[in-house]
Structure formats: C-alpha cells, structure tokens
C-alpha cells in the first residue's frame, strides 16, 4: 500500500494550485473553496490513473466547524464538519450539497469578514511564491509575515486513521462509519483507531491529509480527503487538534 508523509517534492501527477476545478454549473464554489493540489489517484491505485481529485481548503469558518450554522441546508451528503463531491468524468469537483451550506460573504461578523479576506490574500501570495520558486510557502497568520516553506501534503495514502474528525459531528446519512476490525492487530493497538467509511456498502480509501495553514493563513490541523471509486465520491472532514 502506498503511504508517504511530509510530501515536499512533487510526485508525477500532483498539480499545485490547479485551475478549472469546479463544474460550470457551480461557479460559486470558487467563492468558498480554495483548490490546493490536484492528485492523480493512479499514484495510490494504478487502475485509477488519470482520475484526478483536488484537495480543497474551505475559506470558512472563522470559528467552529464548517456547516454548523447552516443546518437547514444539510442533506444526505453534507453536515457539520463534512462535505462531499462527485468527481465528474472530466475531473471536476461537483458539490453534492446546496449552495446555502456555505455562509460566504453573507457573514456579518467583522472578524469573520477579515478572516475571509486574509484566507484569500494568503492563498494568492502562496500561489505567487510557487510560480516564482517552484515550492510551496505559507503566509500563515501564526508566523512573522514572511513566507515559510511547507509540505504540499502531510500524508498521502495509507489507511484511514482515526482522529477527532471521526467524532466531532455525525457523518452524513449517505455514508456509514465504523471501526474496522479487519485492520486491528492486538500487537499494534494504534490500529484500533483505523476506521472504515462506506457509501452503499462500498469503502472509501484514504487519499491525503494536510493542514490548511500549510497553504493559507489558517485552517484545519488536518483536511482529511477520502475517495470511493464506484460512485466517484470525494469526501472531506476536518481534524481540529
């Protein structure tokens, strides 16, 4: 099984700051989600070569979890701290939720407005740094204002490992989550935290994880990205350590 951590050198099939990520019928997604890196899933499974999913960083929330203030717009594929996409045949990320799931620029809180502007500005600066130097650097609000070079991904492949993201909020009803006893080894108790997530009984596999602040001013400590090949579903959750 392919598994690497701290990916600082781009692998073939990895495209930082990809363009044309969202379908034409959902152009508003670009107001809410920052495309970090396209990942050819053939890196993880050769039979999926040419299938490219994009790691996305939500611009919101300023505080709390994404979706927790828009419950009236949740559905079977979206919920607090969970969002899902269908990967189209031309590798666009089609959101499986309602546009009202995102607060976006309708937010009234002045700190949240400042946060949104800072996220967009820091992303643009990171993109410019990449174009100039061919490496990723973050303009994190936790730094000194200078660019700090970062890993493109903190983790690529491997098992779906547990974390507080599995318990922060209930998974949307289109999916099921459970500990995976097939992965448990009593000699390696950490394996007890490996989880199994399915859609219609078909399992997701781990694609990648990265901290939002590797790329932007802020963000989750781990953006967790999963994929189910038959339905071409890309599922995200967020670990806040």
């Amino acid at each position: 099984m392919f598994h690497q951590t701290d990916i600082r050198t781009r692998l073939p099939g990895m495209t930082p700051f990809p363009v044309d990520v969202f379908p034409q019928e959902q152009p508003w997604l670009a107001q809410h989600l920052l495309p970090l890196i396209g990942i050819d899933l053939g890196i993880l499974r050769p039979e999926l070569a040419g299938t490219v999913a994009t790691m996305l960083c939500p611009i919101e929330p300023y505080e709390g979890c994404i979706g927790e203030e828009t419950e009236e717009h949740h559905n079977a594929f979206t919920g607090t701290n969970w969002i899902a996409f269908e990967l189209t045949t031309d590798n666009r990320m089609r959101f499986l939720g309602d546009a009202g799931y995102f607060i976006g620029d309708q937010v009234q809180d002045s700190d949240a407005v400042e946060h949104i502007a800072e996220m967009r500005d820091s992303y643009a600066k990171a993109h410019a740094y990449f174009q100039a130097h061919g490496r990723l650097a973050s303009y994190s609000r936790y730094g000194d204002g200078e660019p700090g070079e970062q890993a493109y991904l903190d983790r690529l492949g491997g098992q779906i490992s547990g974390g507080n993201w599995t318990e922060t909020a209930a998974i949307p009803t289109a999916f099921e989550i459970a500990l995976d006893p097939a992965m448990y080894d009593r000699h390696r108790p950490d394996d007890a935290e490996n989880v199994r997530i399915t859609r219609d009984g078909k399992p997701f596999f781990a694609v990648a994880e990265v901290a939002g602040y590797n790329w932007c001013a802020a963000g989750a400590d781990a953006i967790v990205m999963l994929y189910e090949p038959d339905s071409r579903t890309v599922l995200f959750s967020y670990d806040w350590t």
Side-chain angles (χ1 to χ4, degrees):
M1 176 180 294
F2 188 97
H3 182 206
Q4 287 189 15
T5 59
D6 196 40
I7 311 294
R8 293 177 179 267
T9 300
R10 281 184 291 153
L11 302 175
M14 290 172 53
T15 306
F17 302 99
V19 297
D20 298 328
V21 168
F22 304 116
Q24 291 184 353
E25 67 272 19
Q26 294 180 326
W28 44 267
L29 286 173
Q31 301 173 29
H32 309 293
L33 299 160
L34 301 172
L36 305 185
I37 189 166
I39 303 170
D40 190 316
L41 300 179
I43 298 172
L44 305 177
R45 297 190 176 185
E47 68 273 18
L48 295 178
T51 302
V52 180
T54 301
M55 174 68 79
L56 301 172
C57 180
I59 292 175
E60 59 190 73
Y62 167 62
E63 289 183 328
C65 294
I66 190 169
E68 70 178 351
E69 296 184 18
T70 57
E71 290 186 353
E72 67 274 21
H73 295 283
H74 293 184
N75 65 11
F77 301 98
T78 62
T80 299
N81 212 45
W82 295 92
I83 56 176
F85 299 79
E86 176 192 357
L87 188 62
T88 66
T89 55
D90 59 350
N91 293 324
R92 306 278 181 127
M93 301 282 284
R94 187 175 75 84
F95 185 51
L96 293 175
D98 184 82
Y101 176 87
F102 300 100
I103 300 173
D105 292 330
Q106 298 179 62
V107 67
Q108 301 298 314
D109 184 281
S110 60
D111 289 332
V113 171
E114 183 179 347
H115 165 82
I116 289 170
E118 185 183 20
M119 289 290 285
R120 291 173 176 161
D121 181 63
S122 61
Y123 176 81
K125 287 180 178 178
H127 191 185
Y129 186 97
F130 173 77
Q131 290 177 317
H133 303 283
R135 297 184 299 276
L136 176 65
S138 171
Y139 290 79
S140 168
R141 70 170 58 141
Y142 311 113
D144 57 6
E146 295 298 317
E149 294 194 358
Q150 305 288 345
Y152 294 107
L153 297 169
D154 295 325
R155 175 176 173 149
L156 180 64
Q159 303 285 3
I160 302 177
S161 296
N164 64 29
W165 63 275
T166 66
E167 301 174 341
T168 298
I171 196 168
T173 57
F175 315 110
E176 293 186 353
I177 184 170
L179 289 177
D180 191 343
M183 296 180 184
Y184 179 67
D185 182 342
R186 64 186 178 85
H187 299 296
R188 298 177 58 196
D190 288 347
D191 284 352
E193 294 191 0
N194 286 333
V195 297
R196 177 179 170 87
I197 297 178
T198 57
R199 177 179 178 183
D200 298 325
K202 297 174 181 178
F204 285 82
F205 65 84
V207 177
E209 296 181 15
V210 71
Y213 44 79
N214 277 29
W215 294 77
C216 306
D221 295 293
I223 304 170
V224 179
M225 180 182 182
L226 313 172
Y227 186 70
E228 195 288 294
D230 285 3
S231 61
R232 297 179 66 92
T233 304
V234 186
L235 180 63
F236 290 93
S237 189
Y238 307 91
D239 195 280
W240 303 89
T241 301

